[in-house]
Amino acid sequence: MQQIYLVMTAAVDINVIKAESSKLKEMSLENIPFGKYFTDHMLEADYENGEWKNVEIKPYQPLVIEPSMASLHYGQAIFEGIKAYKSPNGDAFIFRPKDNYNRFNVSAERMQMPAVPEDIFMEGMRMLVELDKSWIPGHTDHSLYIRPFMFSTDHLIGVRPSETYKFMIILSPTGPYYNAPMKIYVEEKYTRAAPGGVGFSKNAGNYAASMYPTAMARKAGYDQVLWTDAFEHKYLQEVGTMNVFFIIGNKAITPSLEDGTILAGVTRDSAITILKKMGLEVVERKITTDELIDVYKSGELKEVFGTGTAATISLIKELKYKDFIMEFNVDSWKVSTELKERLNGIRYGTATDEFGWMYKL
Ligand SMILES: *Cc1c(COP(=O)(O)O)cnc(C)c1O
């Protein structure tokens, strides 16, 4: 028998239909690949006639869609990535979910999609993670990846903003992200984002557009591209789907956000805060390929790494710009190693959460 009950929150009723049995019985949560397995439940809500309704947590299951569904054609689709962790005493925490909630609605506005109310996003996520709490792996470097997303659902292939949308949250337990030091190709032909475009929003289309250039870089023996600006291919933006940091002398430099071409990463913000705490001067500003080569040649370029929820801190061992190759001995790096340790300490509950980042279930 399915158990059905209703939970009242501030402004929204979330209907909960529990799965009859848990898939967890048949699997181990150790070393599972990223994004492949999903928990027992999901959250689903519909936007119709200007309001959100049918907010429901129910067994993870396929969706029935029509071929004419608008998002399949015109790509009004956005998402977020958040992680939940288990502390040594078994308590469950979500890392900075409110920041992702705020960013989700920034993305929604740029894509001409409705905002999702805070209680549906935050309380819905809390209830869903609570229900599937046993899916949060307890092993080191493991976590539960939370994927909120929204897409247009009108059955109409005319080009206009959809009148109906679906908001969903699914959960995926994940083992250590494959995190070997990366070889990076500095991209000078293709562009990820231009001023006035959609680079600051976490929409599905940005990812689709990055796949061809990334495949070209892979063919040339590189893991990812370092994106540069659309006009001169001179100002550095992001590395793959991560924000990028350069340790130059005793400063940490990361590209500034004012052009709207860079995704304001929650990990980026966390790294800035922790690096400052570690005593480094952190500067958000424009940085060029020429400067990068100069500081590499002078020996001032100490460390280069990417930041993002999925991979956390990813070290870069090689950068190729035109015919110039910059190589690094990542084994000797101190700043990124300490940054990663401090960040992980907070997330796994082994260090004090002095910034108030952990949201307890
Ligand atoms: C999601 C994303 C990031 C990282 O953001 P986090 O909040 O740290 O996960 C960076 N760049 C792009 C393009 C992204 O989509």
Side-chain angles (χ1 to χ4, degrees):
M1 270 298 285
Q2 287 194 332
Q3 198 185 334
I4 299 179
Y5 55 95
L6 204 66
V7 179
M8 309 296 269
T9 65
V12 66
D13 297 339
I14 300 181
N15 193 29
V16 180
I17 305 165
K18 274 190 159 182
E20 285 173 39
S21 64
S22 175
K23 295 176 285 186
L24 195 51
K25 290 187 203 113
E26 294 130 45
M27 64 182 291
S28 152
L29 294 180
E30 210 161 341
N31 289 318
I32 42 178
F34 180 80
K36 189 166 174 196
Y37 298 99
F38 299 94
T39 66
D40 294 320
H41 301 90
M42 64 184 196
L43 179 135
E44 192 175 333
D46 297 311
Y47 183 83
E48 281 168 23
N49 301 320
E51 59 177 332
W52 286 97
K53 51 177 77 156
N54 313 329
V55 190
E56 203 160 63
I57 289 173
K58 58 183 175 185
Y60 182 92
Q61 59 194 272
L63 297 170
V64 177
I65 56 168
E66 287 205 21
S68 60
M69 186 175 74
S71 52
L72 297 178
H73 303 269
Y74 306 121
Q76 264 188 308
I78 61 171
F79 67 96
E80 270 305 327
I82 308 171
K83 276 181 175 174
Y85 301 87
K86 206 169 259 180
S87 72
N89 67 10
D91 286 339
F93 293 87
I94 307 177
F95 185 72
R96 303 189 69 174
K98 191 72 193 297
D99 297 83
N100 296 86
Y101 167 66
N102 292 334
R103 186 171 71 191
F104 192 72
N105 282 339
V106 168
S107 301
E109 183 180 14
R110 181 60 182 85
M111 294 293 124
Q112 190 55 34
M113 299 166 89
V116 172
E118 183 172 337
D119 48 4
I120 296 180
F121 191 105
M122 294 294 291
E123 181 59 13
M125 172 168 51
R126 194 197 62 74
M127 285 172 59
L128 180 64
V129 175
E130 177 77 55
L131 189 58
D132 283 342
K133 195 172 160 180
S134 52
W135 285 84
I136 308 176
H139 323 281
T140 356
D141 289 340
H142 289 60
S143 58
L144 183 71
Y145 185 80
I146 305 170
R147 168 53 61 88
F149 58 109
M150 175 175 26
F151 53 96
S152 59
T153 52
D154 277 8
H155 302 144
L156 180 95
I157 56 169
V159 181
R160 59 151 174 73
S162 188
E163 283 167 4
T164 62
Y165 295 86
K166 210 176 260 303
F167 169 67
M168 301 190 68
I169 306 178
I170 55 177
L171 307 174
S172 178
T174 171
Y177 201 82
Y178 179 65
N179 220 353
M182 301 184 295
K183 287 174 70 180
I184 301 295
Y185 182 91
V186 181
E187 183 60 66
E188 287 186 283
K189 179 174 180 187
Y190 302 104
T191 302
R192 191 192 88 88
V198 296
F200 65 90
S201 83
K202 214 167 174 73
N203 70 87
N206 278 346
Y207 279 67
S210 75
M211 289 183 189
Y212 180 78
T214 306
M216 293 298 109
R218 291 250 162 88
K219 245 190 205 167
Y222 291 84
D223 299 301
Q224 275 294 349
V225 303
L226 178 55
W227 300 104
T228 54
D229 72 286
F231 303 121
E232 300 172 84
H233 290 296
K234 165 176 144 181
Y235 296 102
L236 305 172
Q237 294 182 336
E238 299 196 54
V239 57
T241 57
M242 284 182 284
N243 294 113
V244 67
F245 283 77
F246 305 93
I247 306 299
I248 302 176
N250 57 2
K251 288 183 186 160
I253 317 281
T254 190
S256 42
L257 305 175
E258 74 275 1
D259 286 343
T261 53
I262 288 168
L263 201 291
V266 177
T267 321
R268 174 187 182 276
D269 186 74
S270 309
I272 290 173
T273 306
I274 294 174
L275 289 166
K276 283 182 181 164
K277 191 84 191 176
M278 283 163 56
L280 275 88
E281 187 182 338
V282 184
V283 189
E284 297 176 62
R285 64 160 166 88
K286 289 185 188 284
I287 173 164
T288 64
T289 47
D290 287 347
E291 178 182 355
L292 197 64
I293 287 176
D294 286 349
V295 291
Y296 175 77
K297 286 183 174 164
S298 71
E300 291 165 278
L301 180 57
K302 308 285 186 207
E303 306 183 23
V304 187
F305 54 89
T307 66
T309 295
T312 321
I313 309 288
S314 278
L315 310 185
I316 293 170
K317 67 172 180 185
E318 183 180 322
L319 281 165
K320 178 187 159 71
Y321 175 64
K322 298 189 195 286
D323 290 330
F324 191 69
I325 296 197
M326 293 170 252
E327 285 178 302
F328 305 93
N329 175 16
V330 301
D331 297 333
S332 66
W333 288 2
K334 300 222 160 50
V335 175
S336 38
T337 309
E338 186 179 341
L339 169 62
K340 190 167 187 166
E341 271 171 21
R342 287 193 185 217
L343 189 54
N344 279 342
I346 295 172
R347 299 195 302 183
Y348 287 96
T350 55
T352 317
D353 173 24
E354 59 185 309
F355 310 112
W357 287 339
M358 303 305 282
Y359 172 96
K360 193 169 186 294
L361 280 192

